[in-house]
Amino acid sequence: RKWNCVVHDWIYNYMYLPVIEAGYSPTVAMAVVFGTSSLIHEYILAIGLQFVYPLLLCMFGGLGVFFVPLTRLWRNARGWNLFLWSMLLIGQGILVVLY
């Protein structure tokens, strides 16, 4: 929510809320947002690199959705911060090596 306020507000108002208002659960709305975000990120990489290798799609759409429930289970700020930075570094390393 604090990472990129403009994108967060747009996604919340134009993607998340319409799914909720259509009668779906917040979990479904979250999956729609993550899936759409992963498709957009993959599209940007495909244009920039001029080939499609859906690794980022799998990382955002798969692991991203999988790790979200951990944010509700793990309330320790220091532990969560360590986990977040570890995943960012590992994720970036995987992307650099495989792309």
Side-chain angles (χ1 to χ4, degrees):
R1 279 171 254 178
K2 296 178 183 177
W3 184 264
N4 190 339
C5 294
V6 174
V7 173
H8 174 266
D9 290 344
W10 190 89
I11 286 174
Y12 183 77
N13 289 322
Y14 294 104
M15 291 178 64
Y16 185 81
L17 283 181
V19 173
I20 295 292
E21 290 169 354
Y24 294 100
S25 70
T27 305
V28 172
M30 179 193 62
V32 167
V33 167
F34 266 92
T36 306
S37 177
S38 65
L39 285 171
I40 291 169
H41 280 84
E42 193 63 46
Y43 179 71
I44 291 168
L45 271 178
I47 289 173
L49 299 176
Q50 298 180 352
F51 68 91
V52 177
Y53 185 61
L55 177 67
L56 195 61
L57 181 73
C58 295
M59 288 177 72
F60 264 53
L63 294 175
V65 172
F66 176 73
F67 283 133
V68 167
L70 291 179
T71 62
R72 293 184 183 96
L73 297 175
W74 202 349
R75 298 291 181 191
N76 180 1
R78 177 173 280 174
W80 177 246
N81 197 21
L82 178 66
F83 174 76
L84 176 74
W85 281 103
S86 300
M87 291 298 107
L88 281 173
L89 293 173
I90 292 169
Q92 289 298 318
I94 291 171
L95 290 174
V96 167
V97 168
L98 293 177
Y99 270 105

